[in-house]
Amino acid sequence: SQSAQPSSRLCGPQTASYDESLGAPKCSIGSSCDSGTTLNGRGTILNGNEPNHPNTLNSCCCVDGNSGTYHDEESIDRIVVTRASGGESESDCELTEGDPVTITATVWCWEEGSNQYIDFYYASD
């Protein structure tokens, strides 16, 4: 009898790691991408120093503020992008261009959050 060979493809959930060339967290290929702790905090805020801040592409356009109190002031602490179809099987396990996704964000908003916004963008690269 033949034993199953381990797959060389990564399927299932992936946890992001900081990509210095992008200036932001990045996942390998998988059915979901979780920022994990790479976004927790904001800038150099007291008791909530965000690792590798500002964690924006090319660090050009959206720098973090450094004033305030951790988890009393606004911050985006975690983002998870998941294929809407699941995709846990070997033949269907990658986030690919055009796939519907679900984005779940853990955020701390000022007061009730009614005037707080977060924008998500995507690109084919």
Side-chain angles (χ1 to χ4, degrees):
S1 82
Q2 292 183 330
S3 61
Q5 296 296 315
S7 172
S8 61
R9 293 177 60 192
L10 295 172
C11 288
Q14 303 295 312
T15 301
S17 59
Y18 182 72
D19 183 310
E20 193 170 327
S21 65
L22 289 176
K26 177 182 175 181
C27 282
S28 58
I29 296 171
S31 61
S32 67
C33 181
D34 185 339
S35 67
T37 60
T38 61
L39 302 177
N40 190 34
R42 178 171 50 88
T44 59
I45 197 168
L46 182 63
N47 298 321
N49 194 345
E50 178 184 9
N52 304 301
H53 59 86
N55 284 307
T56 58
L57 294 177
N58 303 319
S59 301
C60 71
C61 308
C62 185
V63 296
D64 297 321
N66 297 317
S67 63
T69 303
Y70 178 60
H71 286 171
D72 187 40
E73 308 294 333
E74 303 92 332
S75 65
I76 301 168
D77 288 353
R78 185 176 179 192
I79 299 173
V80 181
V81 179
T82 307
R83 283 185 65 150
S85 63
E88 298 297 325
S89 71
E90 173 73 22
S91 63
D92 185 35
C93 71
E94 299 174 1
L95 283 167
T96 56
E97 183 178 357
D99 282 342
V101 299
T102 300
I103 299 173
T104 305
T106 302
V107 300
W108 290 89
C109 298
W110 178 252
E111 295 178 351
E112 76 282 350
S114 62
N115 293 321
Q116 305 292 296
Y117 302 91
I118 183 172
D119 296 315
F120 291 99
Y121 299 90
Y122 70 94
S124 61
D125 63 349

Short mmCIF file of all heavy atoms in Angstrom, two decimals, residues 83-111:
data_model
loop_
_atom_site.label_atom_id
_atom_site.label_comp_id
_atom_site.label_asym_id
_atom_site.label_seq_id
_atom_site.Cartn_x
_atom_site.Cartn_y
_atom_site.Cartn_z
N ARG A 83 -11.63 33.48 2.65
CA ARG A 83 -12.43 33.12 1.47
C ARG A 83 -13.86 32.87 1.92
O ARG A 83 -14.10 32.13 2.86
CB ARG A 83 -11.92 31.85 0.82
CG ARG A 83 -10.69 32.02 0.00
CD ARG A 83 -10.37 30.74 -0.68
NE ARG A 83 -11.46 30.44 -1.60
CZ ARG A 83 -11.30 29.77 -2.72
NH1 ARG A 83 -10.15 29.29 -3.03
NH2 ARG A 83 -12.33 29.53 -3.51
N ALA A 84 -14.81 33.46 1.23
CA ALA A 84 -16.22 33.26 1.58
C ALA A 84 -16.62 31.80 1.39
O ALA A 84 -17.48 31.28 2.10
CB ALA A 84 -17.11 34.18 0.75
N SER A 85 -15.96 31.10 0.46
CA SER A 85 -16.32 29.71 0.17
C SER A 85 -15.60 28.71 1.06
O SER A 85 -15.77 27.51 0.90
CB SER A 85 -15.99 29.38 -1.29
OG SER A 85 -14.59 29.49 -1.51
N GLY A 86 -14.78 29.17 1.97
CA GLY A 86 -14.04 28.26 2.85
C GLY A 86 -12.71 27.91 2.24
O GLY A 86 -11.72 28.55 2.48
N GLY A 87 -12.67 26.87 1.41
CA GLY A 87 -11.46 26.52 0.69
C GLY A 87 -10.43 25.77 1.49
O GLY A 87 -9.25 26.05 1.40
N GLU A 88 -10.84 24.81 2.28
CA GLU A 88 -9.89 24.03 3.08
C GLU A 88 -9.32 22.84 2.32
O GLU A 88 -8.34 22.25 2.73
CB GLU A 88 -10.56 23.54 4.37
CG GLU A 88 -11.01 24.66 5.28
CD GLU A 88 -9.86 25.52 5.80
OE1 GLU A 88 -8.77 24.98 6.06
OE2 GLU A 88 -10.06 26.73 5.93
N SER A 89 -9.93 22.45 1.20
CA SER A 89 -9.45 21.27 0.48
C SER A 89 -8.22 21.61 -0.34
O SER A 89 -7.99 22.76 -0.71
CB SER A 89 -10.55 20.71 -0.43
OG SER A 89 -10.76 21.59 -1.52
N GLU A 90 -7.43 20.60 -0.66
CA GLU A 90 -6.19 20.77 -1.44
C GLU A 90 -6.45 21.44 -2.78
O GLU A 90 -5.67 22.26 -3.23
CB GLU A 90 -5.54 19.40 -1.64
CG GLU A 90 -4.34 19.39 -2.57
CD GLU A 90 -3.10 20.02 -1.97
OE1 GLU A 90 -3.01 20.09 -0.74
OE2 GLU A 90 -2.23 20.44 -2.74
N SER A 91 -7.56 21.12 -3.43
CA SER A 91 -7.83 21.65 -4.77
C SER A 91 -8.43 23.05 -4.74
O SER A 91 -8.56 23.68 -5.77
CB SER A 91 -8.76 20.70 -5.52
OG SER A 91 -10.00 20.62 -4.86
N ASP A 92 -8.82 23.53 -3.59
CA ASP A 92 -9.53 24.81 -3.50
C ASP A 92 -9.09 25.56 -2.25
O ASP A 92 -9.90 25.87 -1.39
CB ASP A 92 -11.04 24.54 -3.47
CG ASP A 92 -11.86 25.82 -3.49
OD1 ASP A 92 -11.43 26.78 -4.16
OD2 ASP A 92 -12.91 25.86 -2.85
N CYS A 93 -7.79 25.84 -2.13
CA CYS A 93 -7.33 26.36 -0.84
C CYS A 93 -6.70 27.74 -0.89
O CYS A 93 -6.17 28.20 0.11
CB CYS A 93 -6.34 25.38 -0.21
SG CYS A 93 -4.75 25.32 -1.04
N GLU A 94 -6.73 28.43 -2.01
CA GLU A 94 -6.01 29.68 -2.11
C GLU A 94 -6.95 30.88 -2.25
O GLU A 94 -7.93 30.80 -2.97
CB GLU A 94 -5.06 29.66 -3.30
CG GLU A 94 -4.03 28.58 -3.23
CD GLU A 94 -3.19 28.49 -4.49
OE1 GLU A 94 -3.41 29.28 -5.42
OE2 GLU A 94 -2.34 27.60 -4.55
N LEU A 95 -6.61 31.98 -1.59
CA LEU A 95 -7.26 33.25 -1.88
C LEU A 95 -6.77 33.66 -3.27
O LEU A 95 -5.57 33.72 -3.51
CB LEU A 95 -6.82 34.32 -0.88
CG LEU A 95 -7.42 34.28 0.50
CD1 LEU A 95 -6.64 35.18 1.44
CD2 LEU A 95 -8.86 34.68 0.48
N THR A 96 -7.67 33.90 -4.18
CA THR A 96 -7.28 34.28 -5.53
C THR A 96 -8.07 35.50 -5.98
O THR A 96 -9.16 35.78 -5.48
CB THR A 96 -7.48 33.13 -6.53
OG1 THR A 96 -8.83 32.69 -6.48
CG2 THR A 96 -6.57 31.96 -6.23
N GLU A 97 -7.52 36.20 -6.95
CA GLU A 97 -8.16 37.39 -7.49
C GLU A 97 -9.58 37.09 -7.92
O GLU A 97 -9.83 36.09 -8.59
CB GLU A 97 -7.35 37.91 -8.67
CG GLU A 97 -7.88 39.19 -9.25
CD GLU A 97 -7.03 39.70 -10.41
OE1 GLU A 97 -5.99 39.09 -10.72
OE2 GLU A 97 -7.44 40.70 -11.00
N GLY A 98 -10.51 37.92 -7.50
CA GLY A 98 -11.91 37.76 -7.87
C GLY A 98 -12.74 36.94 -6.90
O GLY A 98 -13.96 36.91 -7.02
N ASP A 99 -12.09 36.26 -5.95
CA ASP A 99 -12.84 35.48 -4.95
C ASP A 99 -13.58 36.41 -4.00
O ASP A 99 -13.01 37.39 -3.52
CB ASP A 99 -11.90 34.63 -4.10
CG ASP A 99 -11.41 33.38 -4.78
OD1 ASP A 99 -12.02 32.97 -5.77
OD2 ASP A 99 -10.41 32.82 -4.30
N PRO A 100 -14.83 36.10 -3.69
CA PRO A 100 -15.51 36.83 -2.61
C PRO A 100 -14.81 36.51 -1.28
O PRO A 100 -14.42 35.36 -1.05
CB PRO A 100 -16.92 36.28 -2.62
CG PRO A 100 -17.09 35.58 -3.93
CD PRO A 100 -15.72 35.14 -4.34
N VAL A 101 -14.64 37.51 -0.44
CA VAL A 101 -13.99 37.32 0.86
C VAL A 101 -14.82 37.96 1.96
O VAL A 101 -15.66 38.82 1.70
CB VAL A 101 -12.56 37.90 0.89
CG1 VAL A 101 -11.66 37.22 -0.12
CG2 VAL A 101 -12.56 39.40 0.70
N THR A 102 -14.55 37.53 3.16
CA THR A 102 -15.10 38.17 4.35
C THR A 102 -13.93 38.81 5.09
O THR A 102 -12.90 38.18 5.29
CB THR A 102 -15.78 37.12 5.26
OG1 THR A 102 -16.84 36.51 4.54
CG2 THR A 102 -16.32 37.77 6.53
N ILE A 103 -14.09 40.08 5.45
CA ILE A 103 -13.06 40.80 6.21
C ILE A 103 -13.60 41.03 7.61
O ILE A 103 -14.67 41.60 7.78
CB ILE A 103 -12.70 42.14 5.55
CG1 ILE A 103 -12.15 41.91 4.14
CG2 ILE A 103 -11.70 42.90 6.41
CD1 ILE A 103 -11.92 43.18 3.36
N THR A 104 -12.84 40.57 8.59
CA THR A 104 -13.20 40.78 10.00
C THR A 104 -12.09 41.63 10.62
O THR A 104 -10.92 41.26 10.54
CB THR A 104 -13.31 39.44 10.74
OG1 THR A 104 -14.24 38.61 10.04
CG2 THR A 104 -13.77 39.64 12.17
N ALA A 105 -12.46 42.74 11.21
CA ALA A 105 -11.48 43.64 11.81
C ALA A 105 -11.78 43.84 13.29
O ALA A 105 -12.94 44.03 13.67
CB ALA A 105 -11.48 44.99 11.09
N THR A 106 -10.73 43.78 14.10
CA THR A 106 -10.84 44.11 15.52
C THR A 106 -10.35 45.54 15.66
O THR A 106 -9.18 45.83 15.37
CB THR A 106 -9.98 43.17 16.37
OG1 THR A 106 -10.40 41.82 16.14
CG2 THR A 106 -10.10 43.50 17.85
N VAL A 107 -11.23 46.44 16.05
CA VAL A 107 -10.91 47.86 16.13
C VAL A 107 -11.33 48.45 17.48
O VAL A 107 -12.22 47.93 18.14
CB VAL A 107 -11.59 48.67 15.00
CG1 VAL A 107 -11.16 48.17 13.64
CG2 VAL A 107 -13.10 48.62 15.11
N TRP A 108 -10.64 49.50 17.87
CA TRP A 108 -11.02 50.29 19.04
C TRP A 108 -11.40 51.66 18.52
O TRP A 108 -10.61 52.33 17.87
CB TRP A 108 -9.86 50.39 20.02
CG TRP A 108 -9.59 49.07 20.66
CD1 TRP A 108 -8.77 48.09 20.21
CD2 TRP A 108 -10.20 48.58 21.86
NE1 TRP A 108 -8.83 47.01 21.05
CE2 TRP A 108 -9.69 47.28 22.07
CE3 TRP A 108 -11.12 49.09 22.76
CZ2 TRP A 108 -10.07 46.51 23.15
CZ3 TRP A 108 -11.50 48.33 23.84
CH2 TRP A 108 -10.97 47.04 24.02
N CYS A 109 -12.65 52.06 18.75
CA CYS A 109 -13.18 53.32 18.26
C CYS A 109 -13.32 54.33 19.38
O CYS A 109 -13.49 53.98 20.54
CB CYS A 109 -14.56 53.11 17.62
SG CYS A 109 -14.53 52.03 16.20
N TRP A 110 -13.28 55.58 19.02
CA TRP A 110 -13.50 56.67 19.95
C TRP A 110 -14.99 56.73 20.27
O TRP A 110 -15.82 56.66 19.38
CB TRP A 110 -13.03 57.98 19.34
CG TRP A 110 -13.24 59.17 20.18
CD1 TRP A 110 -14.15 60.16 19.96
CD2 TRP A 110 -12.54 59.52 21.37
NE1 TRP A 110 -14.07 61.10 20.94
CE2 TRP A 110 -13.08 60.73 21.83
CE3 TRP A 110 -11.53 58.93 22.10
CZ2 TRP A 110 -12.64 61.37 22.97
CZ3 TRP A 110 -11.09 59.57 23.24
CH2 TRP A 110 -11.64 60.76 23.66
N GLU A 111 -15.32 56.83 21.54
CA GLU A 111 -16.69 56.88 22.03
C GLU A 111 -17.51 55.73 21.44
O GLU A 111 -17.09 54.59 21.50
CB GLU A 111 -17.31 58.25 21.77
CG GLU A 111 -16.62 59.36 22.56
CD GLU A 111 -17.18 60.72 22.30
OE1 GLU A 111 -18.00 60.88 21.37
OE2 GLU A 111 -16.80 61.64 23.04
#
